[in-house]
Amino acid sequence: MTERPRISIAYCTQCNWMLRAGWMAQELLSTFSTDLGQVTLIPGTGGIFAIHLDDVLIWERKRDGGFPDIRVLKQMVRDHIDPDRDLGHVDRVNLEQ
């Protein structure tokens, strides 16, 4: 059996970003449930908000200009672990916008 992908979310405790990190972890676990090996929250300081998939940095707040939209984050994770997977409404464009 191959090892399932691991996600880590490092967040700044000084900036009170724990709830945001926890919500993103919950969303990823809800969407990818048994496809992920773990989702880890890592408290830090200094304005950090970084998301790693295994050892690949897929989002960094300073580098990428803020926080990821959950739709974008789910698509990024999907593209790494199962590119052919349909994410349902997350993949559909809202034509009314």
Side-chain angles (χ1 to χ4, degrees):
M1 184 167 116
T2 61
E3 191 171 312
R4 292 178 292 165
R6 298 162 298 138
I7 292 178
S8 63
I9 304 173
Y11 66 93
C12 180
T13 58
Q14 296 168 317
C15 302
N16 294 316
W17 290 337
M18 181 184 70
L19 289 177
R20 181 185 308 262
W23 172 71
M24 288 186 179
Q26 175 186 335
E27 285 290 318
L28 292 172
L29 286 167
S30 294
T31 299
F32 298 102
S33 59
T34 58
D35 296 325
L36 296 174
Q38 69 182 28
V39 177
T40 305
L41 300 180
I42 304 170
T45 58
I48 189 168
F49 197 90
I51 303 171
H52 284 83
L53 176 57
D54 290 327
D55 294 325
V56 177
L57 179 64
I58 61 171
W59 192 273
E60 203 282 319
R61 184 187 65 82
K62 293 177 184 174
R63 179 193 74 185
D64 298 310
F67 299 98
D69 181 84
I70 199 63
R71 165 186 242 147
V72 171
L73 180 58
K74 287 179 180 184
Q75 289 170 337
M76 293 172 75
V77 170
R78 181 269 318 270
D79 291 348
H80 278 83
I81 68 172
D82 188 2
D84 296 326
R85 181 180 180 156
D86 180 15
L87 291 177
H89 70 280
V90 171
D91 280 335
R92 300 195 214 329
V93 176
N94 185 351
L95 299 175
E96 297 176 13
Q97 288 183 353

